[in-house]
Amino acid sequence: MQASERSVQRSVQRSGGQAPEAVTGAGRVRGVEKDGVARFLGVPFAAPPVGPLRFAAPAAVPAWDGVRDCTVPGPNAPQPPRTFGPLDLSPVIGQGWRPGDDHLTVDVWTPDPGGSGLPVMVFVHGGAFVAGEPGAPVYDGTALARAGVVLVSVTYRLGIEGFLPLAGGATNIGLRDQLAALAWVQENAAAFGGDPGNVTVFGESAGAMSVGCLLGSPLAAGLFRRAIVQSGGAEMVHSEGPLRGFAARVAAELGVEPSAAAFRARPLAETLAAQDRMSDPLKRGDLREPDGVDPGFGLGGFCPVVGDDVLPRSPLGAVAEGSAAGVDVITGFNAEEMNLYLVPTGLLAALTDAQALAGLGAVHPRAAELLAARPEATPGERYAALLTDLVFRGPALRLALAHAGTGSGSTHVYEFAWRSPAFGGGLGACHALELPFVFGTPERATGPDALAGEDPPRALADEMVAAWTGFARTGDPGWPAFTPEGRALRRFGTPSVDAAADPVTAG
């Protein structure tokens, strides 16, 4: 019998039909047990970000008396609705905003709340820095916990509230929330059976880009031992100038000055409505850096900013100089990331050469050259393949090269290549598709027009759960390490194979 199975059995035996409880630094919490796993939902790691704490760094969570009920999902971060044409993406992005002040919380799954020494995995959700939540159905932590880890999923401030630099307010607020949650894990992991000395932080999309930033942040030192960067990197950051200009345009849309005091005076509903309107690229305006490249490649304006105590410099450059020394890293990408954005909406088939050139030309000075170099048959396919390289594949491989080049901490790379049969097979190995496999929840994202299509391979989910939890336990996910010379990667599919990463040609 494996240790993880014994841990699950001990948890069941200890419960005796009683609701599981744990004692955090701020007070006692009560969870619920299901399928041999204890879950604690909506456990605060910081004070509610309201009043003077809005647009401020996270503050310590106030202590409470008695036992706090953590058996049902609590509020999540304020966010406007987000859609992807006919594709139902709610299994990985949630159902939208659940209002409530007390939303700086974590969800915890543990196989043995009375045990000790279990590896801890801390998940940072994606959503383009404007949406998402840890309570989305795919992120159910049961499979990971049953594999022998404590899973902690983090809520953090988004959009205007989390990533808009305003005069008189904190910068990189969403990243500061993540740092506060990781500090909470250091202080409280043992209360749920976890080992604070063996923490793996992992994230996808904006969550992965956040993790890439944390790898380059001096404030993250000692908060985690390992990191997994799923479809991210360490490059989607802005310098202060473009983001201050963006903040001024958002403020003009709201009819106020670009200051924290002015934004605090407006209700959340108004700021969210303004944020939603600013999703229009014409309103968002020019976000290109001095080199002519928009690091967000037109996908959004809310990004981390370089130049404060969280990110004193480019996180990729910091990693190359050893900021993540001693941290084991997995970084990877999906083979057809941009299909998520272009296939359900019909844009992949409808895009013309002129439209592809205009779209890319607004964010990259070498648009014509890069598009002309692609051998794919249609303008939409060329555009999708190039943006997959620019936004996801290139940053993932450059992060791997930067980290492996330091010679400290192992580096592993993967490509997720299993193709979803949804939308007539057109969705393919799109962005976010690996998530239900990583969490062992492919049944939560199935259907004819759902992310994983119909009848996704259960064996692939089992394989990825084993790889991710094995990495969290020992630093070895089960495939060869990446080196600048060998460039090994694991290509996940049916079957999965070991391969070599192709050179980065666009960036």
Side-chain angles (χ1 to χ4, degrees):
M1 182 182 296
Q2 294 184 351
S4 61
E5 294 172 341
R6 289 195 299 269
S7 180
V8 170
Q9 286 195 357
R10 285 200 305 270
S11 178
V12 173
Q13 291 165 359
R14 282 178 177 150
S15 70
Q18 300 296 314
E21 293 187 0
V23 180
T24 74
R28 185 177 291 273
V29 293
R30 179 183 298 117
V32 64
E33 187 177 287
K34 182 179 179 182
D35 298 327
V37 170
R39 61 184 69 189
F40 301 82
L41 307 178
V43 182
F45 68 82
V50 296
L53 295 182
R54 194 177 170 201
F55 300 106
V61 59
W64 60 83
D65 296 324
V67 183
R68 184 183 180 106
D69 183 83
C70 292
T71 60
V72 296
N76 59 7
Q79 55 193 278
R82 188 165 167 83
T83 60
F84 289 79
L87 174 65
D88 177 16
L89 209 60
S90 64
V92 297
I93 209 166
Q95 296 285 352
W97 183 27
R98 289 190 306 278
D101 293 343
D102 206 355
H103 58 262
L104 292 184
T105 61
V106 294
D107 294 344
V108 183
W109 285 262
T110 174
D112 192 358
S116 64
L118 295 172
V120 181
M121 298 185 72
V122 180
F123 178 63
V124 184
H125 68 77
F129 297 107
V130 297
E133 61 157 317
V138 157
Y139 305 145
D140 184 297
T142 300
L144 293 176
R146 290 185 67 86
V149 305
V150 176
L151 175 68
V152 180
S153 293
V154 177
T155 303
Y156 59 100
R157 282 172 280 182
L158 303 165
I160 286 175
E161 304 294 315
F163 291 95
L164 191 68
L166 296 170
T171 50
N172 286 321
I173 293 171
L175 294 182
R176 294 180 193 275
D177 290 344
Q178 296 164 22
L179 288 163
L182 285 163
W184 181 94
V185 168
Q186 288 298 306
E187 296 167 3
N188 293 280
F192 299 91
D195 176 5
N198 189 10
V199 173
T200 298
V201 61
F202 71 121
E204 184 268 345
S205 193
M209 294 161 192
S210 296
V211 174
C213 287
L214 297 180
L215 287 167
S217 174
L219 301 187
L223 293 180
F224 52 87
R225 183 175 178 182
R226 301 187 176 96
I228 305 175
V229 182
Q230 299 172 213
S231 300
E235 299 177 29
M236 197 171 281
V237 294
H238 274 284
S239 61
E240 186 175 356
L243 280 197
R244 292 288 182 189
F246 178 60
R249 293 189 290 275
V250 174
E253 182 68 24
L254 194 58
V256 300
E257 294 296 316
S259 71
F263 274 66
R264 285 189 192 108
R266 305 306 288 266
L268 269 173
E270 290 187 22
T271 57
L272 286 178
Q275 178 179 311
D276 194 34
R277 294 193 297 271
M278 293 302 291
S279 64
D280 181 347
L282 296 179
K283 287 183 176 290
R284 197 159 57 227
D286 192 347
L287 287 168
R288 287 176 290 184
E289 294 288 322
D291 63 0
V293 176
D294 171 5
F297 295 100
L299 299 180
F302 297 98
C303 293
V305 61
V306 171
D308 65 358
D309 57 332
V310 179
L311 295 176
R313 56 159 303 176
S314 154
L316 182 64
V319 169
E321 293 185 0
S323 63
V327 177
D328 300 323
V329 173
I330 293 176
T331 181
F333 54 95
N334 295 359
E336 299 166 292
E337 299 266 12
M338 288 302 297
N339 283 6
L340 177 71
Y341 304 93
L342 301 176
V343 170
T345 58
L347 288 174
L348 188 90
L351 205 66
T352 67
D353 280 314
Q355 290 168 333
L357 181 59
L360 192 62
V363 297
H364 202 294
R366 295 169 49 222
E369 172 194 343
L370 293 173
L371 284 168
R374 311 302 298 192
E376 288 78 12
T378 71
E381 290 168 348
R382 287 197 298 274
Y383 185 72
L386 180 55
L387 277 181
T388 290
D389 278 1
L390 288 171
V391 183
F392 300 109
R393 178 178 170 272
L397 293 177
R398 284 189 287 272
L399 176 59
L401 287 166
H403 184 257
T406 66
S408 178
S410 67
T411 309
H412 290 82
V413 176
Y414 75 89
E415 177 184 21
F416 187 84
W418 181 78
R419 305 190 77 250
S420 170
F423 293 88
L427 204 56
C430 70
H431 189 60
L433 181 59
E434 89 287 358
L435 283 166
F437 296 91
V438 165
F439 278 84
T441 55
E443 68 282 353
R444 301 293 184 93
T446 59
D449 291 326
L451 189 63
E454 296 185 290
D455 196 28
R458 179 74 235 182
L460 181 57
D462 294 341
E463 178 184 358
M464 296 196 76
V465 167
W468 262 234
T469 57
F471 177 75
R473 191 174 296 109
T474 68
D476 181 3
W479 69 85
F482 178 99
T483 65
E485 299 76 27
R487 303 174 67 90
L489 65 74
R490 181 70 165 172
R491 181 168 291 126
F492 284 104
T494 49
S496 299
V497 296
D498 292 332
D502 294 329
V504 179
T505 58

